[in-house]
């Protein structure tokens, strides 16, 4: 019962911040304040599931490695907190497959932790490094904070070296919109894209799809999530016509929150993109 309540809390946070079903040219109306945790539980540095929302019986439970938060300061003085998940016996001299995971909703630290607990901590068990930034000052990663990502990756690469010099990118809901913005602006930095759900929300984003033709793109969406489904079908069609490597999986009976997906399934897919 406790796990169910926690997962429902996460659903509520995301839906509150991403209410409505956007069209391909419209933008969801995020409410960063609505993404605040409903409890007073702090986000602790830990390598086991915390009491944050989003933990279920199927949540990723790393047996080794560590998860902690650090702070990145950009050249212009902007400070951005981010979670880092490291596999056991991490060696800063070696290259690792690295996932840049963008959170949903208001993209705050609470949702970063919740989605690590739900999905991305599985990377620890797979020998991956996971970087997951929180939007600084509530400025989302498609509303201005996307500009920080190239500098953030360049700085963190001093310690966390990406395999082959490129990253894997994943985003959920507002994180999926952000992922298309970021990869469209910087396609050379990324080896794959995974959204659940997400699509290029502006005309400018859509025009950059041609730069993704050599990057595998995997998209997941609920069959009942009508507005997002239509936008993602359009994205799949465009990428296919461009000769891109794209898959779209529609999950029947599911809405905006894809409850049936597991961390294992997602990392099996990410492994196939290496």
């Amino acid at each position: 019962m406790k796990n169910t309540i926690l997962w429902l809390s996460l659903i509520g946070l995301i839906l509150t911040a991403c209410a409505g079903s956007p069209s391909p040219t419209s933008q969801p109306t995020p409410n960063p304040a609505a993404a605040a945790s409903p409890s007073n539980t702090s986000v602790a540095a830990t390598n086991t599931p915390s009491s944050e929302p989003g933990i279920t019986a199927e949540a990723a439970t790393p047996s080794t490695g560590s998860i902690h938060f650090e702070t990145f300061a950009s050249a212009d003085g902007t400070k951005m907190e981010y979670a880092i998940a490291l596999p056991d016996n991490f060696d800063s001299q070696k290259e690792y497959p690295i996932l840049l995971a963008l959170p949903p909703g208001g993209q705050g630290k609470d949702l970063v932790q919740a989605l690590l607990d739900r999905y991305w901590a599985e990377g620890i068990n797979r020998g991956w490094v996971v970087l997951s930034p929180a939007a600084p000052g509530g400025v989302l990663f498609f509303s201005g904070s996307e500009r920080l990502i190239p500098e953030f990756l360049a700085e963190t690469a001093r310690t966390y070296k990406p395999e082959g010099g490129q990253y894997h990118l994943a985003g959920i809901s507002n994180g999926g919109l952000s992922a298309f913005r970021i990869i469209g602006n910087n396609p050379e930095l990324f080896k794959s894209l995974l959204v659940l759900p997400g699509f290029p929300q502006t005309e400018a984003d859509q025009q950059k799809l041609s730069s993704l033709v050599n990057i595998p793109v995997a998209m997941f969406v609920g069959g009942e999530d009508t507005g997002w489904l239509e936008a993602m079908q359009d994205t799949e069609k465009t990428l296919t016509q461009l000769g891109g490597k794209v898959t779209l999986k529609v999950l029947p009976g599911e809405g905006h929150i894809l409850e049936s997906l597991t961390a294992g399934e997602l990392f099996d897919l990410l492994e196939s993109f290496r």
Side-chain angles (χ1 to χ4, degrees):
M1 178 62 71
K2 180 179 178 182
N3 287 331
T4 300
I5 292 172
L6 290 171
W7 181 229
L8 289 175
S9 296
L10 175 59
I11 293 172
L13 291 178
I14 298 174
L15 290 180
T16 299
C18 303
S21 295
S23 67
T25 57
S26 68
Q27 176 174 306
T29 305
N31 180 0
S37 174
S39 71
N40 293 321
T41 305
S42 62
V43 180
T46 178
N47 65 345
T48 59
S50 74
S51 56
E52 290 294 313
I55 305 169
T56 72
E58 295 77 32
T61 307
S63 57
T64 59
S66 67
I67 300 173
H68 62 281
F69 277 87
E70 297 184 5
T71 300
F72 160 75
S74 68
D76 67 4
T78 302
K79 292 185 177 180
M80 182 173 73
E81 289 188 277
Y82 66 98
I84 175 78
L86 299 175
D88 196 30
N89 299 318
F90 171 77
D91 183 346
S92 63
Q93 300 304 308
K94 295 182 179 180
E95 291 188 352
Y96 290 83
I98 299 181
L99 176 67
L100 177 65
L102 303 174
Q107 300 189 318
K109 187 176 178 180
D110 57 333
L111 285 171
V112 167
Q113 179 70 61
L115 272 301
L116 275 166
D117 292 334
R118 174 64 183 174
Y119 295 127
W120 310 132
E122 171 66 14
I124 289 176
N125 300 328
R126 304 289 186 110
W128 285 58
V129 170
V130 180
L131 300 172
S132 189
V139 180
L140 306 186
F141 290 109
F142 56 76
S143 298
S145 290
E146 63 270 23
R147 68 180 177 80
L148 299 172
I149 296 300
E151 185 182 354
F152 167 67
L153 294 179
E155 177 63 27
T156 54
R158 297 170 184 259
T159 304
Y160 314 116
K161 296 175 173 58
E163 185 177 65
Q166 292 182 305
Y167 299 81
H168 300 264
L169 178 61
I172 298 174
S173 190
N174 273 353
L177 304 181
S178 303
F180 269 105
R181 173 68 54 81
I182 289 167
I183 200 170
N185 290 346
N186 313 277
E188 72 284 354
L189 293 178
F190 299 100
K191 192 168 186 178
S192 72
L193 173 62
L194 167 64
V195 294
L196 49 151
F199 61 89
Q201 62 170 334
T202 68
E203 184 176 350
D205 293 332
Q206 293 162 22
Q207 290 175 349
K208 293 176 181 178
L209 288 176
S210 59
S211 66
L212 309 186
V213 293
N214 295 318
I215 299 172
V217 177
M219 303 188 293
F220 293 83
V221 64
E224 304 302 313
D225 195 8
T226 309
W228 291 66
L229 170 59
E230 293 173 356
M232 292 170 72
Q233 288 172 328
D234 289 341
T235 301
E236 179 196 29
K237 180 179 179 180
T238 299
L239 279 170
T240 299
Q241 290 174 341
L242 291 168
K245 306 170 184 178
V246 58
T247 59
L248 172 61
K249 185 172 182 179
V250 180
L251 304 181
E254 298 213 40
H256 193 63
I257 308 302
L258 304 178
E259 299 183 60
S260 65
L261 283 177
T262 68
E265 288 178 286
L266 294 178
F267 270 92
D268 285 347
L269 181 60
L270 288 167
E271 285 283 355
S272 75
F273 293 150
R274 291 180 62 184

